[in-house]
Amino acid sequence: MNMRSLTGSRVRERRMSLGLRQGDLAKSIGISASYLNLIEHNRRRIAGKLLTELARALSVEVTALTDGAEASKVAALQGAAASAEAAQLGVSLDTEQLEEIAGRFPTWADLIAQQHQKIRSLNHIVDTLSDRLAHDPFLSTSLHDVITTVTSIRSSSSILSKEDELDPEWRKRFERNIFNDSRRLAESAQSLANYLDGAADASATLGSPQEEVDRVLEDRGFSFEALEALEGAAAPQGVVTSLIDEANLRSPQAAGLLRVVLQRYQQDAGLLPMSTLLKALDADIAGEAGQTQLNPVRLAARLQMSVEVVLRRLAHIPEDKAPFPMGLVICDASGTLIYRKPVAGFDVPRVGAPCALWPMFRALNQPMQPLRAVVQQVGASRPAMRAFAVSTPVVMGDFDRPAIYEATMLIAADTTAPPSEAEKVGPSCRICSVSECAVRREPSVLADTISAF
């Protein structure tokens, strides 16, 4: 059943929302109540003058009856129908059935879509908090301090309770140790409690200089207008320092990391102005020789620019000008993430090591060779995405010094990416639901797991 065949359902919904009786509406447009009943149950198609009269009587535009607002509802329902929850219940609905639900039961369709979105949001929060609990250095250190202090108090009190004839000087020493340890335990416990209270907003808890930098980038939408190139010229000197001052960072280490990020951003903007990139991107995706997919290598050749610069600049296109959402991940030669710009549907861990199956790690083993793949993270309703990766030297080698490489990976939420061709990857081992994996480094905190890739 297509959208237009649900015109009658929309007529009925509008009539009931206005509190009109079927007979009164039928009389006002000059037809019988029985005929209107057939129309409202989608057993008679309407068009032309009758459709116009119905729209006038119901005080709506004709398009509101013929097209409705179901398109977005159907898209949302398709996501819910493809979710892991639907699969567990054995729910399988085709597009025609979803269109009928959206047309005949719009309120229920909205409820299903909202609940599906809420489930996705909660899953993301659980993943983020699980990742933090598993890897957060502050949390680990605090818990270790609490356990050590408790053990010390227990040991001292045990000696005092068992030794009746303990020398007074030693007794005072043990009592002083218990007092000092108790005070330290209270302070550690209070600090840990305050930390956990503030962890309700996982993104607001800053446990390291790198997380401080990540938060600044997220707040600015990963875009810095002041650093964008002007007619190919570099941004004025001192802008980077001003942006760092505005960030109001808590540590000098975070300021140093942010300076490195902003200086690279400024350099990339000078090499490849955003206006130049957008013009070339429009021409490239428009389709030369039938090409319609994003191809950063082809784009780099068109712009006479290195692939890694193009990947970085693509990821920083403003949201309102990008053809689809794009994220960026950069790692050094050890595999440690040094830059992360997430994209919805592909989780990038804040702390800890990411999944070793990401294409960027293959790129480290094939320096200067661009790689691309369709990837899909395990989990509920994760879309397939296109990933482009390349490994390039940041320190050139010579006879006495090896080259130092870093890998750059662009993650494009391109709706044309075929799920059937997707490589299944995880976010990180600690929160990956795959029970058996050849590259797993540590057990998952998730109780329920799925079969191997």
Side-chain angles (χ1 to χ4, degrees):
M1 182 176 293
N2 59 40
M3 292 297 185
R4 285 186 171 270
S5 66
L6 296 172
T7 300
S9 297
R10 300 187 192 100
V11 170
R12 182 173 182 272
E13 181 187 2
R14 179 62 178 172
R15 175 181 64 77
M16 294 180 68
S17 67
L18 295 175
L20 294 175
R21 293 190 301 178
Q22 198 174 64
D24 293 339
L25 178 59
K27 184 177 180 180
S28 68
I29 60 174
I31 62 174
S32 66
S34 59
Y35 187 67
L36 178 58
N37 184 62
L38 292 173
I39 290 174
E40 289 188 350
H41 286 83
N42 301 305
R43 296 177 183 174
R44 292 291 185 275
R45 292 184 177 274
I46 55 172
K49 183 180 178 181
L50 179 56
L51 180 60
T52 303
E53 288 295 320
L54 268 172
R56 178 191 58 76
L58 295 171
S59 302
V60 294
E61 296 290 336
V62 171
T63 53
L65 298 178
T66 56
D67 298 335
E70 288 86 8
S72 60
K73 288 185 175 62
V74 170
L77 288 175
Q78 287 174 332
S83 67
E85 293 78 16
Q88 291 174 359
L89 294 173
V91 176
S92 178
L93 299 174
D94 57 29
T95 302
E96 184 174 335
Q97 291 171 311
L98 295 175
E99 289 176 352
E100 185 172 2
I101 292 173
R104 296 184 61 184
F105 310 104
T107 304
W108 282 103
D110 287 337
L111 178 61
I112 293 171
Q114 290 173 9
Q115 290 183 333
H116 172 59
Q117 185 60 38
K118 188 170 184 178
I119 290 172
R120 288 189 60 186
S121 176
L122 291 174
N123 282 336
H124 176 70
I125 291 173
V126 168
D127 288 348
T128 302
L129 291 177
S130 297
D131 182 55
R132 182 171 295 283
L133 288 172
H135 298 100
D136 194 318
F138 178 85
L139 184 60
S140 176
T141 301
S142 297
L143 288 174
H144 178 74
D145 189 46
V146 168
I147 294 172
T148 301
T149 307
V150 169
T151 303
S152 177
I153 293 173
R154 181 179 180 182
S155 176
S156 297
S157 60
S158 176
I159 293 174
L160 289 175
S161 65
K162 293 179 180 179
E163 298 292 338
D164 295 332
E165 299 180 359
L166 190 65
D167 182 81
E169 183 63 31
W170 278 101
R171 180 176 292 278
K172 288 182 179 180
R173 183 176 298 181
F174 281 118
E175 289 172 348
R176 186 166 54 249
N177 288 343
I178 291 176
F179 173 76
N180 291 333
D181 286 341
S182 299
R183 185 170 59 183
R184 191 176 77 176
L185 176 61
E187 292 173 352
S188 298
Q190 184 61 54
S191 176
L192 182 59
N194 293 339
Y195 179 80
L196 293 175
D197 285 343
D201 179 6
S203 65
T205 304
L206 305 176
S208 68
Q210 182 62 57
E211 287 188 290
E212 283 193 78
V213 173
D214 290 344
R215 180 64 181 276
V216 171
L217 296 175
E218 290 171 5
D219 290 344
R220 297 294 298 265
F222 296 88
S223 179
F224 295 88
E225 204 77 26
L227 295 179
E228 289 295 342
L230 303 173
E231 302 298 331
Q237 294 296 320
V239 175
V240 168
T241 300
S242 298
L243 290 172
I244 294 174
D245 292 340
E246 292 173 9
N248 194 26
L249 297 168
R250 299 186 304 174
S251 66
Q253 294 85 357
L257 291 175
L258 182 57
R259 182 177 295 278
V260 172
V261 171
L262 295 180
Q263 286 176 340
R264 170 174 275 185
Y265 188 111
Q266 184 179 29
Q267 182 181 23
D268 288 347
L271 291 170
L272 181 53
M274 189 59 67
S275 58
T276 302
L277 174 64
L278 291 174
K279 184 178 179 181
L281 181 62
D282 288 342
D284 192 68
I285 292 187
E288 278 193 359
Q291 298 290 340
T292 58
Q293 297 175 6
L294 176 66
N295 187 327
V297 173
R298 188 176 64 224
L299 193 59
R302 178 192 295 271
L303 293 166
Q304 297 184 342
M305 193 66 54
S306 62
V307 176
E308 69 273 16
V309 170
V310 171
L311 293 180
R312 292 196 295 264
R313 293 299 281 160
L314 284 170
H316 295 101
I317 295 176
E319 289 185 9
D320 59 337
K321 297 179 181 179
F324 32 72
M326 288 181 275
L328 184 73
V329 186
I330 302 175
C331 74
D332 62 17
S334 72
T336 301
L337 300 188
I338 58 176
Y339 187 87
R340 49 176 69 77
K341 177 183 182 288
V343 61
F346 193 97
D347 290 339
V348 180
R350 284 182 175 273
V351 289
C355 176
L357 296 175
W358 290 6
M360 65 188 305
F361 299 119
R362 291 203 300 271
L364 281 174
N365 295 323
Q366 304 177 58
M368 308 301 292
Q369 175 62 50
L371 303 177
R372 65 179 173 185
V374 177
V375 297
Q376 185 176 29
Q377 281 194 338
V378 296
S381 306
R382 297 301 176 94
M385 299 188 179
R386 298 188 188 276
F388 306 90
V390 67
S391 174
T392 53
V394 289
V395 175
M396 296 301 296
D398 58 28
F399 293 113
D400 302 314
R401 180 183 63 187
I404 305 298
Y405 287 84
E406 71 177 22
T408 304
M409 182 172 73
L410 180 75
I411 310 158
D414 183 354
T415 56
T416 65
S420 60
E421 299 178 12
E423 301 175 10
K424 299 295 184 181
V425 301
S428 66
C429 288
R430 195 63 173 159
I431 55 174
C432 180
S433 58
V434 177
S435 59
E436 299 176 6
C437 176
V439 297
R440 178 173 287 284
R441 295 179 295 271
E442 56 181 331
S444 174
V445 299
L446 302 180
D448 297 327
T449 57
I450 60 177
S451 59
F453 295 134

